[in-house]
Amino acid sequence: MTTTSTTPATPGTATRRVAVGALLDFTAAVFRHHGVPRNRAGTAARALVHGDLTGVTSHGLTNLTRLYLKLFADGRCDPAAEPEVLADRGAAVLLDSHRALGLWAASETVDLAAERALEYGVGLVTVRGATHLGCAGVHARRAADRGMICLLVSNCGQQRIIRPPGGRSALLGTNPLAFAAPAGPRAPFVLDMSTTVVPTGRVRAAARAGTDIPPGWLEDAEGRPVTDPRALDRGDGYLKWLGGDPETGAFKGYGLGLLVEALGALLPGAGLGPDPAAWSGSGSPSGRDDDIGFTALVIAPARLRREDEFQTQATALFDALTGSPTLHQDHPVRYPGWYEAERAAEYGKSGVPLPAALFTELQQVAADLGLPAPAALAD
């Protein structure tokens, strides 16, 4: 579901550059056309375009037609749903999202957790009945931009595409997590990752491009390497956990995946991946990412210590990293979130590069819906 390829689109004849504002306006208009209220549509558009803006392309606009418009068409997402408070204990809140658009609801969840953190020092908001939230990092960063620390986890509802180490049946999803914290005057530290070696988006991007994937991403039913990315959606290729094989650390990725399942879904009472119903048959991937659960935990350092001391120490932490000696002079030490922020700044000026096929796809969406299409910038 989240962290994906952070390889930017390569400028050239195969891409079209589009102004960030044009992409945001277009995407928000598409969501409004499908019944998402104006303010929510703007928030959701920023979350989706964030993928292309930062180079996390498999969680960007490529998912507009492949994921979000299908959710609307299938009735699996209610564009005007009002999340319901099921329990409010001050520092901790339980919500039922009622199938609201996750691209919006996850940002609202982090914002609510941040407000509670300002009051109590810590805020936890846990959500059931959710839909796909896109790049988890874009939501977590909202707290870091306010000087706070955020952990955001999301399971994949009842989608089962990964097997426990040594197991024959797929029982879990990619179960992403994001962590964001201030880094002094620099862009925040933003870790956004799946608990599998790669997310499904990278595998499907390779399938669309007609290219093989490296050994170590997928395995067959007997644990042998699979390099055909189409095997994932055929049901005869299984994603591997972060760490690869048990001998090289797969139980770390598996353990993180279970952490997300417990904190993101078991806590709020959302749909769980593991279910005995998946034991029978071939053990191939099954279920859909319905009734997703996610949890945002936000901490306000300023409620626990002097804010200036925290910021000074955060600056020192990341000074020590980015100023450290390097193996290669042209490859300085950086941290998660640095390159994404750098890319966003660059594309904000020069335009976001979209593959020509995706640009054409967006033009077709505009024509189908009777909306103004985003225009390419002049070379």
Side-chain angles (χ1 to χ4, degrees):
M1 278 180 58
T2 181
T3 284
T4 58
S5 171
T6 55
T7 302
T10 302
T13 57
T15 63
R16 302 288 187 273
R17 286 191 177 267
V18 182
V20 178
L23 288 179
L24 290 172
D25 290 345
F26 168 72
T27 307
V30 171
F31 287 143
R32 291 198 305 273
H33 180 89
H34 285 83
V36 180
R38 178 173 292 274
N39 288 344
R40 297 184 186 185
T43 299
R46 286 190 292 275
L48 186 56
V49 172
H50 172 85
D52 302 282
L53 182 63
T54 58
V56 189
T57 52
S58 59
H59 274 53
L61 285 162
T62 190
N63 283 337
L64 182 62
T65 59
R66 292 174 178 84
L67 199 163
Y68 298 106
L69 296 189
K70 286 185 177 180
L71 286 178
F72 294 137
D74 295 344
R76 295 168 57 207
C77 174
D78 181 350
E82 290 294 339
E84 177 186 1
V85 176
L86 300 179
D88 189 338
R89 302 294 182 260
V93 179
L94 169 64
L95 299 176
D96 189 326
S97 191
H98 291 305
R99 296 181 291 110
L101 182 60
L103 289 166
W104 161 77
S107 284
E108 289 291 304
T109 295
V110 170
D111 288 351
L112 177 57
E115 291 303 316
R116 298 305 173 94
L118 287 175
E119 185 174 356
Y120 298 102
V122 61
L124 183 144
V125 181
T126 188
V127 182
R128 66 173 69 160
T131 61
H132 194 279
L133 54 72
C135 292
V138 68
H139 308 295
R141 178 171 172 163
R142 294 170 74 92
D145 286 338
R146 299 173 65 178
M148 291 181 261
I149 294 169
C150 178
L151 173 66
L152 175 64
V153 301
S154 173
N155 90 327
C156 296
Q158 295 163 313
Q159 183 182 60
R160 308 175 187 101
I161 55 177
I162 305 137
R163 305 180 297 182
R168 185 165 292 279
S169 300
L171 293 173
L172 290 160
T174 56
N175 285 18
L177 63 88
F179 182 86
R186 300 177 177 82
F189 162 47
V190 181
L191 174 67
D192 185 348
M193 55 174 278
S194 65
T195 53
T196 48
V197 67
V198 292
T200 57
R202 289 194 67 181
V203 179
R204 290 177 175 134
R208 289 193 296 273
T211 60
D212 286 346
I213 56 174
W217 287 16
L218 296 180
E219 62 184 4
D220 68 11
E222 302 304 322
R224 295 173 296 234
V226 171
T227 58
D228 179 1
R230 295 168 298 179
L232 175 67
D233 287 327
R234 282 202 310 263
D236 53 13
Y238 300 84
L239 275 172
K240 302 185 72 170
W241 292 105
L242 185 67
D245 298 316
E247 297 78 11
T248 56
F251 274 90
K252 295 179 180 178
Y254 174 48
L256 287 172
L258 287 176
L259 179 154
V260 170
E261 195 77 16
L263 186 58
L266 182 60
L267 177 62
L272 298 174
D275 189 292
W279 295 353
S280 60
S282 66
S284 295
S286 63
R288 299 198 303 187
D289 54 347
D290 291 325
D291 193 11
I292 287 171
F294 54 77
T295 295
L297 173 65
V298 176
I299 303 165
R303 294 303 307 271
L304 302 172
R305 56 184 297 199
R306 282 180 46 178
E307 184 172 10
D308 60 336
E309 291 179 349
F310 172 78
Q311 292 293 346
T312 296
Q313 194 168 19
T315 299
L317 167 62
F318 290 94
D319 276 350
L321 291 169
T322 58
S324 64
T326 63
L327 291 174
H328 304 285
Q329 191 172 4
D330 57 344
H331 288 86
V333 175
R334 294 294 181 251
Y335 56 86
W338 174 287
Y339 290 111
E340 290 82 356
E342 196 173 62
R343 201 168 293 135
E346 175 192 342
Y347 291 169
K349 297 175 182 177
S350 63
V352 179
L354 301 178
L358 176 57
F359 179 78
T360 300
E361 186 175 289
L362 299 182
Q363 300 284 307
Q364 187 61 54
V365 169
D368 291 344
L369 301 182
L371 298 173
L377 296 173
D379 293 335

